[in-house]
Amino acid sequence: LALCILVAGVMLVQLPRNADAPQEESPQMGRSLVGFLAALGACFASGFGGVYMEMVLKGSSTSIWLRNAQLAIFGASTA
């Protein structure tokens, strides 16, 4: 999710301006702000994901090896 938000933010910032459209006061500033907010959202999503993963690993009585196997199976099936 975080990577998708980050890619969307970079794409929004890099979109070319339409030369035929009437010029706004600062069209580049608006796209840059949207891109920055998307990148900021990606950072927060990544941070929350790391904290949640740590909470799951520490709060469970299941061994770390079994958790790694579960994550590997889920990751391989979605990749």
Side-chain angles (χ1 to χ4, degrees):
L1 177 66
L3 184 60
C4 293
I5 295 171
L6 186 60
V7 168
V10 171
M11 287 172 42
L12 287 172
V13 171
Q14 297 298 323
L15 285 175
R17 281 192 270 176
N18 189 357
D20 299 333
Q23 295 292 327
E24 297 176 11
E25 187 173 312
S26 179
Q28 183 65 28
M29 181 62 181
R31 287 200 319 254
S32 295
L33 181 64
V34 169
F36 173 74
L37 291 175
L40 188 65
C43 291
F44 278 113
S46 176
F48 285 132
V51 169
Y52 178 75
M53 186 64 176
E54 179 123 2
M55 182 188 74
V56 166
L57 288 174
K58 286 188 176 180
S60 175
S61 62
T62 307
S63 73
I64 190 76
W65 296 103
L66 182 60
R67 286 288 178 194
N68 280 338
Q70 289 172 340
L71 288 171
I73 291 168
F74 176 76
S77 66
T78 59

